[in-house]
């Protein structure tokens, strides 16, 4: 089977297990975002038309369904995290001056930054309304705490890029805040919506943390290769001075040839295209990509061990299969 077909089959199989719930989710988000303002409705419609794979609400629904049925609180919690995630994407596109996302024009490129920021803020407010509608202070707190961690993760990344902090610990701390925190919130909110508030919440939160780390590592790998499917330019991280795992691993290996020269090059205030090409080749040629893939496989094994105590079910299988999808995905 063609790799892309296999990847889609994994995700389609996961979606199939919760297709009624996903339909409810999308209807609820559309209803929450609807206004009497035609401009806002046009912008929102454009944003929702490129909804992506909806990995985050899938986690909410799966974690809730692991303990039985999915209720109104589950759908509202899933809508809350997906709306907040969309808000971060809209704001990121403004900050990065991105013209496309998922091969479609961004809000800021079609309209302007002013409208994009306002629409992003609108998504945040709608996310809060969905969380509040659950009537569960734990779900509301999880969403609010998440907003803080997402911002902190981005600031940490900017700080480390500026002051050239080159350690794996710093890298994992950053992606734990900027990505894994969202996955953890999804797992917790799904559990709370299902009425679960014991050690099983901690177990699923740890599973989600590992999944979030895996997701970000895979996302970082894309920056080292050209791929039209991603729908955005590659090498952006290095242009912004961000050293991600594949390059970081090689820069930390003092046994490699030209080690000191490459470390010095990575610390330049502004990298030109030749510098970026040199560093990317250095990472690829010296096993940086292979190391990143080995780390993702390690995270998958740890997650499988965390889920081991849970009874066998299609939902549990889907949780593990999310790792297979993420590791194998091409965009």
């Amino acid at each position: 089977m063609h790799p892309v077909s296999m990847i889609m089959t994994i995700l389609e199989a996961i979606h199939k297990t919760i297709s009624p719930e996903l339909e409810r989710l999308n209807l609820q988000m559309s209803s929450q975002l609807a206004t009497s303002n035609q401009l806002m409705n046009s912008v929102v419609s454009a944003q929702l038309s490129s909804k992506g794979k909806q990995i985050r609400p899938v986690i909410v629904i799966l974690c809730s369904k692991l303990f039985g049925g999915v209720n109104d609180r589950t759908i509202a919690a899933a809508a809350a995290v997906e709306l907040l995630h969309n808000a971060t994407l809209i704001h990121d596109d403004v900050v990065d001056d991105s013209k496309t996302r998922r091969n479609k024009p961004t809000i800021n490129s079609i309209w302007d930054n002013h409208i994009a920021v306002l629409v992003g803020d609108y998504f945040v407010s709608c996310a809060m309304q969905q969380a509040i509608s659950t009537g569960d202070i734990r779900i509301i707190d999880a969403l609010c705490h998440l907003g803080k961690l997402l911002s902190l993760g981005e600031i940490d990344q900017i700080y480390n890029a500026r002051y050239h902090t080159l350690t794996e610990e710093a890298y994992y701390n950053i992606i734990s805040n900027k990505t894994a925190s969202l996955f953890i919130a999804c797992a917790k909110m799904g559990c709370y919506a299902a009425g679960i508030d014991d050690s099983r919440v901690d177990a699923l939160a740890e599973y989600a943390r590992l999944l979030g780390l895996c997701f970000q590592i895979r996302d970082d790998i894309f920056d080292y290769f050209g791929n039209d499917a991603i729908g955005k330019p590659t090498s952006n991280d290095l242009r912004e001075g961000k050293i991600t795992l594949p390059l970081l691993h090689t820069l930390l290996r003092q046994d490699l040839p030209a080690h000191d020269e490459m470390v010095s090059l990575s610390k330049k205030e502004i990298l030109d295209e030749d510098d970026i090409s040199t560093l990317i080749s250095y990472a690829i040629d010296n096993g940086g990509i292979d190391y990143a893939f080995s780390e993702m496989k390690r995270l998958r094994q740890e997650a499988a061990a965390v889920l081991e105590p849970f009874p066998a079910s299609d939902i549990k299988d889907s949780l593990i299969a999310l790792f297979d999808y993420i590791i194998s995905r091409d965009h």
Side-chain angles (χ1 to χ4, degrees), residues 221-289:
I221 291 173
F222 289 132
D223 209 53
Y224 293 78
F225 301 95
N227 188 337
D228 292 338
I230 303 172
K232 63 178 182 180
T234 53
S235 306
N236 280 343
D237 288 335
L238 274 174
R239 287 190 183 89
E240 296 170 7
K242 299 171 184 175
I243 308 297
T244 53
L245 190 60
L247 178 57
L248 177 62
H249 172 69
T250 58
L251 293 178
L252 292 175
R253 287 187 56 191
Q254 297 185 11
D255 60 306
L256 291 177
H259 168 265
D260 292 347
E261 179 186 344
M262 291 298 107
V263 170
S264 178
L265 179 60
S266 72
K267 292 182 177 181
K268 282 181 61 176
E269 288 301 317
I270 299 176
L271 295 171
D272 61 31
E273 292 305 311
D274 287 341
D275 297 332
I276 291 170
S277 179
T278 298
L279 289 169
I280 286 178
S281 296
Y282 185 74
I284 294 172
D285 294 344
N286 289 287
I289 303 299

Side-chain angles (χ1 to χ4, degrees), residues 51-88:
K51 62 187 176 184
K53 306 301 187 295
Q54 298 190 316
I55 299 296
R56 294 149 193 86
V58 164
I59 296 169
V60 177
I61 293 168
L62 287 176
C63 287
S64 191
K65 204 166 185 178
L66 190 65
F67 303 108
V70 168
N71 53 41
D72 290 344
R73 293 191 306 278
T74 305
I75 300 302
V81 293
E82 184 67 354
L83 290 168
L84 182 62
H85 173 59
N86 270 270
T88 64

Side-chain angles (χ1 to χ4, degrees), residues 15-227:
H15 279 189
K16 188 174 181 180
T17 64
I18 55 172
S19 57
E21 291 85 357
L22 287 176
E23 186 176 349
R24 287 174 61 190
L25 166 73
N26 289 312
L27 287 172
Q28 186 136 328
M29 287 197 299
S30 295
S31 176
Q32 176 66 65
L33 292 165
T35 75
S36 58
N37 184 288
Q38 290 187 347
L39 175 57
M40 179 65 81
N41 289 339
S42 296
V43 180
V44 166
S45 178
Q47 179 68 17
L48 294 183
S49 69
S50 58
K51 62 187 176 184
K53 306 301 187 295
Q54 298 190 316
I55 299 296
R56 294 149 193 86
V58 164
I59 296 169
V60 177
I61 293 168
L62 287 176
C63 287
S64 191
K65 204 166 185 178
L66 190 65
F67 303 108
V70 168
N71 53 41
D72 290 344
R73 293 191 306 278
T74 305
I75 300 302
V81 293
E82 184 67 354
L83 290 168
L84 182 62
H85 173 59
N86 270 270
T88 64
L89 297 182
I90 294 167
H91 287 158
D92 284 349
D93 288 338
V94 172
V95 172
D96 298 336
D97 194 27
S98 299
K99 302 304 180 187
T100 62
R101 179 177 289 278
R102 303 179 187 131
N103 285 322
K104 292 188 176 183
T106 56
I107 291 174
N108 50 293
S109 68
I110 298 174
W111 287 276
D112 57 33
N113 285 346
H114 186 196
I115 288 178
V117 170
L118 291 174
V119 172
D121 291 345
Y122 180 67
F123 269 76
V124 171
S125 298
C126 289
M128 289 303 305
Q129 283 188 299
Q130 284 296 299
I132 290 169
S133 74
T134 66
D136 191 326
I137 194 64
R138 298 166 303 178
I139 291 175
I140 299 168
D141 180 67
L143 193 75
C144 292
H145 186 59
L146 171 61
K148 291 170 58 178
L149 291 178
L150 292 175
S151 299
L152 183 60
E154 292 294 338
I155 291 293
D156 281 345
Q157 190 163 51
I158 293 169
Y159 177 88
N160 284 359
R162 185 166 297 174
Y163 295 100
H164 310 295
T165 306
L166 298 176
T167 67
E168 276 201 22
E169 181 183 10
Y171 170 79
Y172 275 108
N173 283 339
I174 287 169
I175 68 172
S176 180
N177 281 336
K178 69 174 282 189
T179 303
S181 60
L182 183 49
F183 286 62
I184 291 168
C186 292
K188 287 183 174 181
M189 292 164 76
C191 291
Y192 295 148
I196 305 300
D197 191 8
D198 53 37
S199 60
R200 291 172 293 180
V201 177
D202 296 330
L204 284 171
E206 174 60 10
Y207 154 83
R209 184 185 73 85
L210 296 166
L211 185 67
L213 296 178
C214 184
F215 185 94
Q216 187 58 53
I217 291 172
R218 187 68 186 97
D219 208 48
D220 289 343
I221 291 173
F222 289 132
D223 209 53
Y224 293 78
F225 301 95
N227 188 337

Side-chain angles (χ1 to χ4, degrees), residues 258-330:
H259 168 265
D260 292 347
E261 179 186 344
M262 291 298 107
V263 170
S264 178
L265 179 60
S266 72
K267 292 182 177 181
K268 282 181 61 176
E269 288 301 317
I270 299 176
L271 295 171
D272 61 31
E273 292 305 311
D274 287 341
D275 297 332
I276 291 170
S277 179
T278 298
L279 289 169
I280 286 178
S281 296
Y282 185 74
I284 294 172
D285 294 344
N286 289 287
I289 303 299
D290 293 336
Y291 177 75
F293 271 99
S294 70
E295 282 290 280
M296 289 191 290
K297 291 175 182 176
R298 175 183 65 81
L299 294 168
R300 184 195 184 281
Q301 291 176 343
E302 290 184 19
V306 169
L307 293 179
E308 183 62 32
F310 290 89
S313 68
D314 290 342
I315 300 301
K316 179 179 173 180
D317 291 343
S318 292
L319 289 169
I320 293 297
L322 276 176
F323 271 92
D324 299 323
Y325 163 69
I326 286 169
I327 293 171
S328 303
R329 71 194 176 103
D330 67 343

